Amino acid sequence: MRKPLVAAFFALVIAGAGAAPAVAEPRPGTTATASGTATIRAVDFAGTVSLSNCSGSVVRFPRSADGDPALVLTNGHCLETGFPEPGEVIVDQSSRRSFGLLDSAGTRVATLRASKVAYSTMTDTDVTIYQLTRTYAQIRSSYGISALTLADAHPVAGTAIKVVSGYWKRIYSCAIDGFVYRLKEGDWTWKDSVRYTSACNTIGGTSGSPVIDNATGKVVAVNNTGNEDGETCTVNNPCEVDPNGDVTVRQGINYAEETYQIPACFGTGNKLDLSASGCTLPRP
């Protein structure tokens, strides 16, 4: 699980990355050209957040309204009260957690605060969704920053992606290598996880980073773990389990959990509704 550790800090220094932010790219948009209007598809830090122990992002769903309370997406294992137990699902838990909102260059421009944990689990997936005290419109009006949109369709293998870490202010570029039937780490098991190609060598502190489709600018997954030491199915060493129960270990390969299933579980006003049609998230 990609929480920040002293070892991760030293690994970053040894790698020569230091604490300097990655070069940010422009947000998806349009620009005028001599022949008309060309579409630019790129990614930067705007809308991502830094947590005390992880990364995250301000997110909205395709049907969210500007006046809805904004949400922050990160990992279940980034929850401030500790890892949810296998089978545990937390909903509507009071929280006053703070988040550092980043602009396109990775500069912290504001502190956002949660009103509650809307949803958190490490069962089947690894997500925490915080509800904030401010709306999308208020955040955009105050800081000129819009939320990232969660895609509501299953991601596709081969898609070019970026993993954007607000904690380290670093962007990793790679592609979706494929999908894992079951990803097992310690006592936890996740379903249909995203496996990256080797270029996304994420480290501690990148947990909860949005995984963004380069072509659409939408979030397709949330970064959560990688096999560090080549061990089998232990903490920080997840293993892949296929439908026949066969186990594969890929040392140095990193993973994320899909997010396309989340929008169906939130209705009008960004209210959680785990009984909604199409919602497959685990229930308490």
Side-chain angles (χ1 to χ4, degrees):
M1 298 168 197
R2 294 305 192 193
K3 296 186 76 173
L5 305 170
V6 173
F9 173 77
F10 285 117
L12 187 67
V13 173
I14 292 169
V23 175
E25 302 178 16
R27 298 279 289 187
T30 59
T31 185
T33 67
S35 58
T37 302
T39 301
I40 299 173
R41 301 292 184 187
V43 176
D44 59 30
F45 294 99
T48 63
V49 299
S50 58
L51 285 69
S52 59
N53 62 343
C54 288
S55 300
S57 56
V58 180
V59 297
R60 64 186 300 154
F61 308 125
R63 294 179 295 175
S64 293
D66 287 349
D68 290 343
L71 304 173
V72 161
L73 171 70
T74 187
N75 284 147
H77 74 261
C78 295
L79 190 66
E80 69 268 37
T81 52
F83 292 6
E85 296 293 331
E88 183 180 11
V89 176
I90 297 165
V91 298
D92 293 331
Q93 176 177 284
S94 179
S95 175
R96 292 290 293 166
R97 193 165 197 183
S98 61
F99 312 90
L101 178 66
L102 306 185
D103 66 11
S104 60
T107 301
R108 180 171 178 153
V109 295
T111 298
L112 304 177
R113 191 167 295 279
S115 61
K116 67 178 180 179
V117 175
Y119 183 87
S120 183
T121 193
M122 288 178 65
T123 299
D124 295 352
T125 186
D126 185 10
V127 299
T128 296
I129 301 170
Y130 290 93
Q131 180 174 300
L132 302 184
T133 58
R134 309 188 74 180
T135 67
Y136 298 117
Q138 288 171 333
I139 293 171
R140 188 172 60 247
S141 175
S142 296
Y143 312 110
I145 295 174
S146 297
L148 302 174
T149 298
L150 264 64
D152 56 5
H154 193 287
V156 177
T159 298
I161 56 172
K162 295 190 186 297
V163 182
V164 187
S165 172
Y167 185 91
W168 288 114
K169 301 179 178 61
R170 185 174 179 184
I171 298 176
Y172 300 81
S173 298
C174 62
I176 295 176
D177 184 53
F179 304 99
V180 181
Y181 176 71
R182 297 290 185 268
L183 188 66
K184 181 173 175 58
E185 179 172 346
D187 295 329
W188 295 274
T189 300
W190 303 307
K191 297 180 178 179
D192 196 22
S193 301
V194 172
R195 180 178 61 241
Y196 305 142
T197 54
S198 60
C200 280
N201 54 341
T202 52
I203 61 173
T206 62
S207 283
S209 298
V211 179
I212 301 175
D213 183 327
N214 289 1
T216 66
K218 293 183 178 180
V219 177
V220 297
V222 58
N223 180 68
N224 78 313
T225 194
N227 189 292
E228 297 180 359
D229 307 309
E231 296 179 4
T232 303
C233 311
T234 62
V235 173
N236 297 322
N237 293 282
C239 62
E240 301 182 11
V241 184
D242 72 12
N244 297 320
D246 294 330
V247 174
T248 301
V249 173
R250 303 178 192 269
Q251 184 175 3
I253 294 300
N254 299 293
Y255 302 90
E257 302 309 312
E258 296 165 353
T259 52
Y260 76 96
Q261 70 275 40
I262 296 175
C265 302
F266 285 79
T268 302
N270 275 352
K271 291 183 179 178
L272 179 69
D273 181 3
L274 295 176
S275 65
S277 176
C279 178
T280 60
L281 288 177
R283 303 181 186 184

